[in-house]
């Protein structure tokens, strides 16, 4: 079929499909744009290359290569926020379009017994926090690193590692796996790539290499794509093309005197076509606080009107600092560049491998402005724009069920606003969201699917939800969803904050849900309302007998919130519960929780 043939005439062409199937194909392609048609062309070529029943007429030349037996490429991904999954699926699409047979697995679902038989393996994996594997990759990581891992002399591999250079152990999990595969005898197809938060500039070349090397090693044929006419189609909103959502509500839900300013934000998705499920996140494209932008310009004595080019874009410096570059988080690469400029021996000492703890403390406590003020150095506009990493979207757990709120999406946002080093500090996205005006402002957003944090497929299964602070957000969505769908399973929520009177987030809603039978149990912990601090992990231990009974009865357990202290403390409390009420040793209790994790009955969304 030539590019000039109109899609509506497909059924009348001399094809091997026959009139009926030609008509079906016509219906299939109606309304598809060029990218969708190209994808279909590559998809069918991939099917042909894998010897599935897609045939070409004998009397006509065909763009589809001859089917040949082929060892599949395996792609395994481990993700905490969805970026690794997105890149792994992009690789799978490209491989299939090129006629390469491919299998893709979430790390938690990969059958590790098959590792010894793999021939070509691509691993796309993120590092959580300061050196930990994502929750869905712990089993895979432990197997590869453990004594049961087989010799891999037949394997060729490459690793794409995602991380955050604000952490001292940047991309640690990918690095360790890369070294371990080589230690087990596997050969690198090409070198590991380490991506920062702004992952595209590093990930895209790695994906290109992965495609080319797979075709080279496996002798995969090149699929020829037939161009078809472009048809108009409504835009698809995504990370690359965010939707401008109108702000419907921006309400403070913490009381007077509260140490935290927590907001309930409602955004309109009307007309966007965006759909989400409980457990998904909303990506928000932030803007840096104007006060902070002005402070950076003033400290460096730079003119915000100076035009600077980067990544094919030319913008005034003020706009780069406002909407293009990261200035609320200090990264190791920028710190390294600044240390070279200052010649400061203390900064250089912190960057040494043996000083990881000190580096972590500095990166946690300092923003870019703090470094510039404490260790002065000269920067010009072009060099500054080149050294700072790009400002990336922030992900917020969605606090609503679309079955209840329709074309809206709700968020629970704690504004980052604090004093440090004698000046006021702000967060980027939280400050931006908390200052938007209802019915006037818009916020650019997209949906980030989170398949790792889903309600049970069986609506009769009980659920326990542990969500202190804004970690309660997805559980508002869970309770709404279970009520709207008539799920018969019981719902038990553990919530914690500092003060009952001023920080009981969604108090009226929870109490109303209890009255209606939508929330069956509610246990709260307010740490500052008594002499001795009480947290959710203490409440878990107090209710340990019932928690154990629910879990042994098949309940699913969910944890959402802070990763560095809360999540490990909750995990230890669960171990204690199995020791006290399940008669297990601590080692057996840990193993049992890992089993629950593998069964997707112990799910965490921590950050």
């Amino acid at each position: 079929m030539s590019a000039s043939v109109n899609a509506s005439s497909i059924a009348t062409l001399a094809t091997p499909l026959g009139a009926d199937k030609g008509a079906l194909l016509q219906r299939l392609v109606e309304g598809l744009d060029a990218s969708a048609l190209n994808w279909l062309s590559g998809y069918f070529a991939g099917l042909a290359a894998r010897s599935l029943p897609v045939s070409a007429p004998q009397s006509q030349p065909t763009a589809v290569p001859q089917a040949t037996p082929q060892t599949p490429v395996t792609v395994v991904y481990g993700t905490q926020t969805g970026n690794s999954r997105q890149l792994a699926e992009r690789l799978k699409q490209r491989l299939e379009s090129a006629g390469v047979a491919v299998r893709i697995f979430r790390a938690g679902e990969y059958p590790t017994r098959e590792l010894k038989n793999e021939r070509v393996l691509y691993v796309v994996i993120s590092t959580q926090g300061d050196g930990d594997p994502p929750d869905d990759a712990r089993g895979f990581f432990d197997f590869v690193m453990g004594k049961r891992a087989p010799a891999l002399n037949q394997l060729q591999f490459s690793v794409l590692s995602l991380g955050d250079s604000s952490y001292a152990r940047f991309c640690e999990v990918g690095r360790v796996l890369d070294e371990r595969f080589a230690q087990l005898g596997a050969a690198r197809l090409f070198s590991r790539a380490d991506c920062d938060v702004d992952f595209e500039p590093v990930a895209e070349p790695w994906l290109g290499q992965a495609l080319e090397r797979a075709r080279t090693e496996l002798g995969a044929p090149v699929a020829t794509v037939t161009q078809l006419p472009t048809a108009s189609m409504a835009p698809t909103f995504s990370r690359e093309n965010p939707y401008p959502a109108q702000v419907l509500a921006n309400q403070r839900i913490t009381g007077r005197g509260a140490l935290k300013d927590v907001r309930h934000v409602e955004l309109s998705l009307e007309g966007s076509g965006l759909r989400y499920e409980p457990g998904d996140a909303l990506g928000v494209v932030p803007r840096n606080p104007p006060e902070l932008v002005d402070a950076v310009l003033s400290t460096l004595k730079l003119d915000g009107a100076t035009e600077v080019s980067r990544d094919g874009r030319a913008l005034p410096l003020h706009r780069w600092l406002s909407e293009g570059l990261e200035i609320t988080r200090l990264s190791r690469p920028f710190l390294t560049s600044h240390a070279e400029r200052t010649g400061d021996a203390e900064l250089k000492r912190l960057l040494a491998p043996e000083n990881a703890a000190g580096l972590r403390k500095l990166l946690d406590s300092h923003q870019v402005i703090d470094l510039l003020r404490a260790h002065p150095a000269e920067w010009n506009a072009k060099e500054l724009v080149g050294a700072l990493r790009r400002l990336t979207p922030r992900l917020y757990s969605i606090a609503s069920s679309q079955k209840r709120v329709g074309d809206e999406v709700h968020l629970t946002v704690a504004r980052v606003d604090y004093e440090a080093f004698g000046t006021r500090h702000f967060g980027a996205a939280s400050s931006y969201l908390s200052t938007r005006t209802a019915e006037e402002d818009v916020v650019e957003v997209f949906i980030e699917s989170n398949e790792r944090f889903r309600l049970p497929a069986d609506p009769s299964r009980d659920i326990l939800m542990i969500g202190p602070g804004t970690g309660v957000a997805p559980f508002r969505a869970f309770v709404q969803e279970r009520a709207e769908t008539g799920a018969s399973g019981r719902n038990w929520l553990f919530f914690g904050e500092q003060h009952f009177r001023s920080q009981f987030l969604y108090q009226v809603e929870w109490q109303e849900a209890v009255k209606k039978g939508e929330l069956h149990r509610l246990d709260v912990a307010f740490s500052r309302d008594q002499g001795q601090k009480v947290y959710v992990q203490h409440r878990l231990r107090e209710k340990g007998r019932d928690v154990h009974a629910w879990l042994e009865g098949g309940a699913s357990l969910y944890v959402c919130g802070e990763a560095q202290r809360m999540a490990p403390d909750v995990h230890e409390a669960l171990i204690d519960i199995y020791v006290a009420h399940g008669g297990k040793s601590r080692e057996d209790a840990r193993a049992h929780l890992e089993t629950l994790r593998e069964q997707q009955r112990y799910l965490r969304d921590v950050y």
Side-chain angles (χ1 to χ4, degrees):
M1 188 187 306
S2 72
S4 62
V5 176
N6 189 285
S8 64
S9 64
I10 290 174
T12 65
L13 295 178
T15 76
L17 300 177
D20 291 343
K21 290 184 178 178
L24 288 173
L25 182 58
Q26 175 184 336
R27 290 171 57 192
L28 172 66
V29 301
E30 282 179 358
L32 297 185
D33 64 6
S35 63
L37 292 167
N38 287 345
W39 182 89
L40 278 174
S41 178
Y43 174 73
F44 290 137
L47 290 179
R50 289 150 64 186
S51 303
L52 292 177
V54 176
S55 60
Q58 297 301 312
S59 59
Q60 297 183 21
T62 176
V64 179
Q66 293 295 316
T68 56
Q70 191 185 114
T71 301
V73 170
T74 297
V75 179
V76 175
Y77 68 88
T79 186
Q80 198 69 30
T81 63
N83 292 334
S84 296
R85 174 183 55 80
Q86 174 190 337
L87 292 171
E89 290 176 348
R90 191 188 306 175
L91 175 59
K92 174 179 177 288
Q93 262 191 5
R94 294 183 184 181
L95 289 167
E96 287 184 331
S97 294
V100 177
V102 58
R103 309 186 307 160
I104 187 169
F105 295 93
R106 185 172 64 83
E109 297 176 346
Y110 177 74
T112 53
R113 65 183 179 277
E114 296 183 12
L115 183 60
K116 63 180 181 297
N117 299 319
E118 299 287 3
R119 293 296 180 268
V120 177
L121 173 68
Y122 291 130
V123 176
V124 184
I125 194 163
S126 65
T127 295
Q128 178 188 356
D130 199 16
D132 295 323
D135 280 356
D136 69 344
R138 287 180 181 273
F140 176 79
F141 181 83
D142 290 345
F143 176 81
V144 173
M145 300 304 297
K147 294 180 179 179
R148 292 186 299 149
L152 299 176
N153 299 314
Q154 82 295 339
L155 179 67
Q156 298 183 89
F157 76 98
S158 186
V159 175
L160 179 63
S161 183
L162 281 72
D164 182 343
S165 61
S166 296
Y167 290 91
R169 295 180 179 176
F170 172 56
C171 286
E172 177 81 355
V173 172
R175 181 188 64 79
V176 169
L177 281 176
D178 179 72
E179 293 177 356
R180 177 60 169 164
F181 283 132
Q183 184 183 49
L184 293 170
R188 292 183 181 89
L189 276 168
F190 54 94
S191 298
R192 184 186 79 251
D194 294 340
C195 301
D196 206 342
V197 174
D198 175 21
F199 54 82
E200 288 289 357
V202 174
E204 189 57 37
W206 185 92
L207 292 174
Q209 276 191 289
L211 175 60
E212 289 305 313
R213 291 305 305 271
R215 284 167 48 182
T216 300
E217 295 302 318
L218 300 174
V222 179
T224 301
V225 175
T226 301
Q227 296 291 337
L228 293 174
T230 301
S232 60
M233 189 177 183
T236 300
F237 296 105
S238 63
R239 176 186 287 265
E240 292 74 29
N241 181 36
Y243 175 70
Q246 184 178 37
V247 179
L248 300 176
N250 182 356
Q251 176 187 0
R252 178 167 174 153
I253 56 175
T254 45
R256 293 180 181 177
L259 296 176
K260 301 176 183 177
D261 179 358
V262 179
R263 301 280 172 149
H264 174 74
V265 178
E266 299 180 1
L267 304 171
S268 173
L269 299 180
E270 186 175 0
S272 68
L274 291 173
R275 310 298 299 173
Y276 61 86
E277 297 292 331
D280 286 345
L282 188 76
V284 173
V285 179
R287 299 290 184 268
N288 285 315
E291 304 96 321
L292 185 56
V293 173
D294 292 342
V296 171
L297 291 171
S298 174
T299 300
L300 294 177
K301 298 180 173 59
L302 296 175
D303 183 355
T306 303
E307 190 168 277
V308 182
S309 295
R310 172 176 166 173
D311 301 330
R313 300 171 66 201
L315 298 173
L317 177 59
H318 191 279
R319 272 194 68 187
W320 277 117
L321 295 177
S322 297
E323 61 190 65
L325 301 173
E326 183 65 78
I327 58 175
T328 61
R329 295 176 177 174
L330 182 60
S331 68
R332 180 174 183 145
F334 184 79
L335 176 62
T336 302
S337 296
H338 193 73
E340 290 298 323
R341 287 175 178 272
T342 63
D344 190 299
E346 177 61 18
L347 289 181
K348 291 183 177 180
R349 186 187 68 81
L350 283 173
L351 290 164
E354 63 271 17
N355 294 318
L359 176 61
R360 174 75 261 151
K361 184 177 179 181
L362 177 71
L363 295 176
D364 281 343
S365 60
H366 285 59
Q367 293 187 342
V368 169
I369 187 64
D370 302 318
L371 182 69
L372 298 178
R373 285 170 172 164
H375 304 274
E378 288 190 8
W379 285 89
N380 64 41
K382 182 176 179 59
E383 290 167 339
L384 182 67
V385 169
L388 289 168
R389 71 184 185 188
R390 291 197 299 184
L391 183 63
T392 55
R394 306 296 199 254
L395 299 180
Y396 286 88
S397 297
I398 293 175
S400 55
S401 162
Q402 206 161 18
K403 289 184 176 64
R404 177 166 292 186
V405 305
D407 287 335
E408 297 180 10
V409 61
H410 298 177
L411 303 178
T412 311
V413 180
R415 185 177 186 183
V416 177
D417 185 347
Y418 62 97
E419 291 286 329
F421 311 111
T423 59
R424 192 176 178 188
H425 286 59
F426 306 92
S430 66
S431 178
Y432 177 64
L433 285 169
S434 64
T435 55
R436 297 307 89 193
T437 302
E439 308 296 341
E440 294 182 14
D441 290 328
V442 297
V443 176
E444 292 185 322
V445 302
F446 58 91
I447 302 299
E448 186 71 40
S449 178
N450 186 0
E451 299 294 337
R452 302 178 299 99
F453 206 68
R454 287 281 186 258
L455 282 165
D458 179 359
S460 68
R461 189 181 294 277
D462 297 335
I463 62 172
L464 291 98
M465 302 164 284
I466 303 166
T470 56
V472 80
F475 303 137
R476 183 175 184 263
F478 278 22
V479 172
Q480 289 181 357
E481 181 84 1
R482 300 262 281 186
E484 293 299 315
T485 58
S488 59
R490 298 173 296 170
N491 308 319
W492 186 356
L493 173 65
F494 287 85
F495 172 74
E497 252 298 355
Q498 293 175 330
H499 298 287
F500 169 81
R501 289 186 177 277
S502 60
Q503 293 173 259
F504 192 169
L505 307 183
Y506 302 113
Q507 176 184 358
V508 174
E509 288 191 29
W510 298 131
Q511 292 172 336
E512 188 67 22
V514 171
K515 288 180 183 178
K516 291 180 178 179
E518 297 173 358
L519 184 60
H520 301 83
R521 294 189 66 163
L522 173 63
D523 281 279
V524 296
F526 295 100
S527 60
R528 310 290 176 84
D529 281 351
Q530 59 282 311
Q532 186 175 3
K533 292 181 181 179
V534 177
Y535 298 107
V536 287
Q537 59 265 29
H538 298 120
R539 292 287 182 249
L540 281 169
R541 290 186 178 93
E542 289 174 9
K543 308 295 181 179
R545 186 176 301 278
D546 288 347
V547 169
H548 181 262
W550 277 49
L551 291 174
E552 290 303 289
S556 292
L557 174 68
Y558 300 85
V559 181
C560 182
E562 194 270 331
Q564 300 304 310
R565 294 179 300 275
M566 183 278 296
D569 289 345
V570 165
H571 191 76
E572 286 301 310
L574 294 170
I575 291 172
D576 290 344
I577 286 170
Y578 270 101
V579 171
H581 303 286
K584 297 182 180 295
S585 67
R586 297 194 70 79
E587 183 178 349
D588 287 344
R590 288 190 182 92
H592 185 71
L593 288 175
E594 286 304 312
T595 299
L596 292 182
R597 201 194 306 264
E598 291 167 5
Q599 295 172 347
Q600 298 185 48
R601 285 181 50 212
Y602 176 20
L603 302 174
R604 306 195 309 172
D605 186 10
V606 297
Y607 38 84

